[in-house]
Amino acid sequence: MQALSPPPSSSSLSSSIVGTSRRRRPPTGPLVVHCIHRSYDSVNFPAGVVSSRSDWQSSCAILSSKVVGQEQPPESRSGADSIASVNGHKTIDLDLVPIDKAAAKPLTITDLAPAPMHGSQLRVAYQGVPGAYSEAAAGKAYPKCEAIPCDQFEVAFQAVELWIADRAVLPVENSLGGSIHRNYDLLLRHRLHIVGEVQLPVHHCLMALPGVRKEYITRVISHPQALAQCEHTLTKLGLQAAREAVDDTAGAAEYIAANNLRDTAAIASARAAELYGMQILADGIQDDCGNVTRFVMLAREPIIPRTDRPFKTSIVFAHDKGTSVLFKVLSAFAFRNINLTKIESRPHRNRPIRLVDDANVGTAKHFEYLFYVDFEASMAEVRAQNALAEVQEFASFLRVLGSYPMDMTPWSPSGGD
Ligand SMILES: O=C(O)C(=O)C[C@]1(C(=O)O)C=C[C@@H](O)C=C1
């Protein structure tokens, strides 16, 4: 199965996508659809998603007919104009849609977090090929979803923005390897919202083609995070092998199988071994049995924050007055007893360096950062709203990436992949 690849001119594409994703609903559905047609003409679609361009076009046609179906022409709105007046005001100018009293019901939270418009399974984009941990995370986040493999993180973001997928599930941090910086940067560059998180215990296996013995291995390939998570165990296994990074763990197994490489081993999941006909040489080779990766679920629309269950909120901010401001920002949470679960800094790409000459003894260069903070509160809580109002006073830039239910699944390190 081939992963979704980026469209030919992804940079120009991204800028046009951002515009459409800001809207709450596509006001002109077919416009979004045309945009998909144009951009994905030469994309290789993964089997099981759409197998050919004509399949894809028919999916688009279904999508566009649903959108168009929601937009009733004014002539069909009989009845609205026949209401003569309300409270003495003529209603003729009001563009009222007649109310079907039997069908009228108040909006619920479910209406505000719309189900997929194509009316089928939820389509969830992930980076990697089948057997990747990200695919398992997609299945944990959305059981029975249709998982859509993408060859890069960026493509998973774009798949959601272009309505090819309904959600993306992407790794943001691992308990051993640390943050997946690329996804922090992409969260800011794209306009998707974090709508949930899942934590996945990651259980790695060392695998090679059937019949290959450990002594023959001269190279171990895997995702850089997986190599980092198994660093000490690989050394302890006594392998005289170079380590090489590839795009994803399961892709490493697939590559060995496709090229019949008898001197190379992969680090990947047991499911990847099964899918690509590999033999497991060592099981559970992560340096820590509590190895866990945290993934976030992304959608075009935010969810409505609630207070009836534990929520987490993720924000990103920048400031331009040095580290004392960082202290003030963090104290806005501390004073309100709001627990911070994560803080990450990334270079401020638009303004990487600030020149200061406070002491008049030359010019110092300070690096500029964006700070990503996760805190344990819902945006529906007044204390979170007040904390953010205070942060805003100090920040030159502030964005809420999402307020979403915390993953409260009981901890089971042996859960594997
Ligand atoms: O390569 C995979 O299988 C992935 O899903 C990616 C990834 C990552 O990016 O961290 C996910 C979980 C593991 O921590 C190792 C790799």
Side-chain angles (χ1 to χ4, degrees):
M1 185 181 286
Q2 204 164 14
L4 208 61
S5 303
S9 56
S10 56
S11 54
S12 58
L13 195 82
S14 316
S15 52
S16 65
I17 303 160
V18 168
T20 55
S21 66
R22 271 200 198 107
R23 296 174 192 140
R24 292 197 61 75
R25 270 177 194 280
T28 48
L31 226 189
V32 177
V33 171
H34 289 320
C35 155
I36 298 171
H37 275 299
R38 201 173 47 234
S39 317
Y40 272 73
D41 269 1
S42 59
V43 166
N44 300 319
F45 291 105
V49 180
V50 275
S51 51
S52 68
R53 189 163 172 261
S54 60
D55 277 3
W56 175 243
Q57 284 174 330
S58 55
S59 313
C60 291
I62 294 167
L63 187 64
S64 64
S65 69
K66 294 210 173 193
V67 176
V68 171
Q70 290 178 349
E71 291 171 358
Q72 290 198 8
E75 314 84 73
S76 68
R77 295 174 186 169
S78 60
D81 295 349
S82 61
I83 303 167
S85 69
V86 174
N87 292 341
H89 297 287
K90 277 198 140 215
T91 56
I92 199 80
D93 293 339
L94 294 179
D95 195 14
L96 292 175
V97 178
I99 293 171
D100 170 358
K101 287 218 176 77
K105 61 179 177 66
L107 276 180
T108 65
I109 290 220
T110 335
D111 298 322
L112 297 173
M117 291 187 64
H118 44 91
S120 63
Q121 271 173 303
L122 199 76
R123 298 165 306 185
V124 182
Y126 69 94
Q127 187 268 332
V129 297
Y133 297 101
S134 299
E135 185 200 40
K140 182 175 177 188
Y142 300 107
K144 301 207 176 80
C145 71
E146 180 189 349
I148 302 179
C150 301
D151 74 348
Q152 293 170 32
F153 291 134
E154 172 106 47
V155 177
F157 275 86
Q158 293 194 353
V160 179
E161 288 170 329
L162 291 170
W163 295 70
I164 292 167
D166 304 298
R167 305 279 186 276
V169 171
L170 296 167
V172 284
E173 57 179 324
N174 172 267
S175 54
L176 293 173
S179 292
I180 289 122
H181 293 133
R182 176 84 183 131
N183 280 334
Y184 279 93
D185 296 342
L186 287 171
L187 275 172
L188 197 62
R189 204 172 308 156
H190 292 263
R191 287 271 152 194
L192 296 182
H193 304 267
I194 303 180
V195 294
E197 65 168 7
V198 274
Q199 297 183 350
L200 188 82
V202 173
H203 184 94
H204 290 302
C205 303
L206 184 73
M207 59 192 71
L209 286 172
V212 169
R213 302 223 311 261
K214 258 190 242 160
E215 306 80 79
Y216 303 154
I217 308 280
T218 59
R219 189 165 67 139
V220 177
I221 61 173
S222 195
H223 187 280
Q225 277 278 340
L227 289 169
Q229 292 159 24
C230 304
E231 200 184 328
H232 299 302
T233 316
L234 282 183
T235 311
K236 274 193 238 152
L237 282 172
L239 291 177
Q240 302 294 314
R243 292 152 205 196
E244 254 177 54
V246 294
D247 281 349
D248 75 295
T249 55
E254 187 191 33
Y255 178 73
I256 293 172
N259 295 287
N260 194 28
L261 302 176
R262 303 197 66 81
D263 61 349
T264 308
I267 299 174
S269 66
R271 175 171 145 78
E274 197 187 312
L275 283 176
Y276 304 110
M278 304 287 279
Q279 168 203 349
I280 295 177
L281 298 175
D283 197 350
I285 58 161
Q286 61 281 359
D287 291 342
D288 183 83
C289 65
N291 185 29
V292 60
T293 300
R294 178 173 163 250
F295 294 78
V296 288
M297 288 110 91
L298 303 176
R300 289 179 292 272
E301 309 291 336
I303 54 161
I304 312 284
R306 294 160 59 160
T307 52
D308 57 352
R309 55 173 295 184
F311 259 62
K312 198 183 261 186
T313 301
S314 298
I315 60 164
V316 51
F317 66 88
H319 61 76
D320 32 38
K321 296 208 183 63
T323 44
S324 65
V325 168
L326 181 60
F327 172 77
K328 287 180 193 155
V329 165
L330 298 184
S331 62
F333 296 101
F335 284 139
R336 294 175 176 88
N337 262 332
I338 299 177
N339 194 25
L340 301 189
T341 53
K342 162 103 179 150
I343 176 159
E344 178 69 45
S345 62
R346 295 291 300 144
H348 197 322
R349 287 179 171 222
N350 297 342
R351 206 159 24 107
I353 284 173
R354 174 168 49 103
L355 300 177
V356 278
D357 194 8
D358 286 353
N360 211 12
V361 285
T363 307
K365 292 174 201 63
H366 285 190
F367 284 62
E368 292 283 329
Y369 298 102
L370 286 160
F371 293 95
Y372 291 78
V373 169
D374 291 345
F375 59 87
E376 282 179 339
S378 161
M379 278 312 293
E381 290 176 62
V382 174
R383 61 181 184 141
Q385 293 160 12
N386 288 343
L388 284 201
E390 202 173 313
V391 171
Q392 201 158 18
E393 282 177 30
F394 304 116
S396 54
F397 160 80
L398 171 67
R399 185 172 139 199
V400 177
L401 296 169
S403 195
Y404 49 90
M406 281 165 65
D407 182 358
M408 303 296 282
T409 325
W411 175 236
S412 64
S414 58
D417 46 57

